[in-house]
């Protein structure tokens, strides 16, 4: 019987990041917190995004007024249709930019997209983060498995194992049915071990 120490992990771990850069103004959860879909996890300082949205909306209003004026002039044959078309294009671009700025203003709030537990909190209040930089790592609670490392010389024997059991150090008398779900294709160059995942078929709240 071979025994390996491992770490209980989730098969599905999702990094969460803001879609725009900014300074973190508020972090509402810490590592270990259980979250639900839609729950607010953190906020960026909204000032810059708000100012950008206001500036873009001002440009949209200006382009709209300019377009209306040229349409009136066109009705009186004071300007060409090409001039009106140019103002229409400018208005469309300004409207699109205003919509984008409004969306980015909403992106200052980071919400959970799935139920799970916060495995890692990767940023602190006051930290400036880039767009796409992970702030949290959320692990699903319904897909637990055990991450282990298999020595190179034992790999073939482990692959042939007919049964796998999982025991917790805190409660060694309780055994769970497991199965070797995944083995890395190449060994870790430093440890010469193969990363493997053992799925827990009858996992409970422990």
């Amino acid at each position: 019987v071979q025994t390996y120490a491992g770490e209980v992990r989730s098969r599905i771990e999702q990094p969460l990041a803001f879609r725009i850069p900014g300074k973190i103004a508020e972090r509402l959860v810490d590592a270990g917190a259980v979250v639900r879909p839609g729950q607010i996890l953190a906020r960026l300082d909204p000032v810059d995004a708000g100012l950008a949205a206001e500036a873009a909306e001002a440009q949209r209003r200006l382009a709209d007024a300019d377009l209306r004026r040229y349409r009136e002039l066109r009705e009186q044959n004071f300007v060409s249709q090409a001039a009106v078309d140019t103002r229409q294009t400018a208005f469309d671009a300004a409207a699109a930019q205003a919509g984008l700025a409004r969306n980015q203003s909403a992106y200052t709030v980071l919400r959970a997209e799935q139920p799970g537990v916060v495995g890692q909190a990767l940023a602190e209040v006051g930290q400036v983060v880039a767009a796409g930089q992970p702030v949290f790592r959320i692990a699903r609670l319904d897909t637990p498995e055990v991450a282990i490392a298999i020595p190179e010389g034992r790999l073939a024997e482990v692959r042939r194992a007919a049964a796998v059991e999982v025991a917790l150090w805190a409660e060694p008398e309780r055994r769970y049915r497991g199965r070797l779900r995944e083995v890395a294709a190449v060994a870790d160059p430093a440890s010469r071990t193969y990363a493997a995942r053992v799925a827990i078929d009858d996992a409970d709240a422990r």
Side-chain angles (χ1 to χ4, degrees), residues 1 10 16 19 27 39 42 48 53 55 76-77 81 102 108 115 117 134 140 145 147 159 167 169 173 183-184 200:
V1 177
S10 174
L16 287 183
R19 297 174 65 172
R27 197 185 80 186
Q39 180 178 341
D48 289 344
Q76 301 172 29
N77 288 322
Q81 182 60 41
R102 285 194 300 271
T108 58
V117 62
R140 289 279 295 269
E145 54 188 25
R159 287 185 183 276
W169 280 341
E173 69 284 352
V183 179
I200 307 174

Side-chain angles (χ1 to χ4, degrees), residues 87-118:
R87 267 62 187 183
Q88 180 68 57
T89 300
F91 170 75
D92 291 343
Q97 187 61 38
L100 177 62
R102 285 194 300 271
N103 287 343
Q104 290 184 330
S105 182
Y107 295 155
T108 58
V109 176
L110 184 62
R111 300 176 183 270
E113 297 180 1
Q114 63 181 10
V117 62
V118 179

Side-chain angles (χ1 to χ4, degrees), residues 10 13 16 20 54 65 79 84 95 128 135 159-160 165 181 188 202:
S10 174
E13 296 185 359
L16 287 183
I20 59 172
E54 291 176 6
V79 297
V84 176
V128 176
V135 177
R159 287 185 183 276
R160 292 195 302 266
E165 284 188 337
R181 186 185 68 80
D188 181 276
D202 55 346

Side-chain angles (χ1 to χ4, degrees), residues 1 5 26 65 75-76 82 86 104 107 110-112 119 121 133 135 148 155 172 175 178 182 184 205:
V1 177
E26 190 176 16
E75 290 176 357
Q76 301 172 29
T86 298
Q104 290 184 330
Y107 295 155
L110 184 62
R111 300 176 183 270
Q133 178 181 339
V135 177
I148 62 174
L155 186 59
R175 299 298 176 113
E182 178 182 278

